[in-house]
């Protein structure tokens, strides 16, 4: 039986607390980004033709690393990665900035509570409450 949204939210919250950095520089962002890219390229999703966009930003929005993996489209504009992919990712990043939690945690937590984005104060075109934006926190 697959895990419930409440179980996924709890697991994700635990991971958010576990994955902390003592420091985080622009060089660390590049190393992390390249590591994520390499891991994705070795995944079954990539083998099946899926794409990915990665953006590592400061809380102020300074881009420290960004890349795409996958088909950017052919002459007809058909591809797995597009400008919409970047807009979607920005919405997830905005959710992280607003809540301090990963967009996946927010999605699963809201679902477990039976709440909507409007009820949680995360509304408008500039927010996405799904998928994969994850906060980078420093140990204190």
């Amino acid at each position: 039986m697959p895990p419930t949204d409440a179980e996924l939210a709890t697991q994700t919250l635990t991971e958010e607390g576990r994955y902390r950095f003592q420091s985080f520089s622009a060089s660390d962002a590049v190393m992390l980004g390249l590591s994520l890219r390499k891991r994705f390229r070795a995944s079954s999703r990539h083998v099946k033709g899926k794409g990915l966009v990665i953006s590592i930003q400061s809380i102020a929005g300074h881009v420290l690393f960004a890349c795409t993996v996958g088909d950017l489209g052919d002459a007809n504009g058909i591809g797995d990665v597009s400008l919409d992919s970047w807009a979607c990712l920005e919405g997830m990043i905005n959710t992280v900035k607003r809540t301090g939690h990963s967009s996946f945690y927010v999605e699963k937590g809201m679902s477990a509570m039976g709440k909507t984005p409007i009820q949680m104060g995360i509304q408008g075109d500039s927010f996405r409450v799904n998928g994969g934006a994850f906060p980078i926190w420093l140990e204190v």
Side-chain angles (χ1 to χ4, degrees):
M1 190 160 142
T4 66
D5 284 345
E7 292 168 335
L8 290 170
T10 300
Q11 177 184 348
T12 304
L13 188 60
T14 300
E15 291 172 356
E16 285 182 14
R18 183 179 310 138
Y19 300 124
R20 305 278 171 137
F21 292 83
Q22 289 183 348
S23 64
F24 195 79
S25 67
S27 294
D28 295 327
V30 171
M31 285 180 40
L32 177 60
L34 290 173
S35 177
L36 291 169
R37 180 183 181 276
K38 181 178 180 180
R39 186 172 179 167
F40 179 77
R41 287 178 53 85
S43 74
S44 61
R45 287 182 52 85
H46 182 61
V47 170
K48 293 176 185 174
K50 297 295 181 185
L52 174 76
V53 292
I54 300 171
S55 179
I56 300 174
Q57 300 179 9
S58 71
I59 193 70
H62 300 145
V63 177
L64 304 174
F65 178 87
C67 77
T68 60
V69 182
D71 187 5
L72 296 175
D74 58 19
N76 297 320
I78 299 170
D80 194 54
V81 176
S82 69
L83 292 176
D84 287 341
S85 302
W86 287 105
C88 180
L89 179 59
E90 284 300 319
M92 291 180 212
I93 291 169
N94 289 339
T95 297
V96 170
K97 288 177 180 179
R98 167 67 68 83
T99 66
H101 293 286
S102 70
S103 55
F104 183 76
Y105 169 76
V106 173
E107 173 191 15
K108 297 305 176 188
M110 281 184 355
S111 176
M113 294 185 299
K115 301 281 186 178
T116 67
I118 292 172
Q119 291 171 313
M120 299 300 290
I122 307 167
Q123 59 194 20
D125 293 340
S126 62
F127 296 101
R128 295 287 297 230
V129 290
N130 64 317
F134 196 90
I136 296 175
W137 292 105
L138 300 179
E139 292 178 348
V140 288

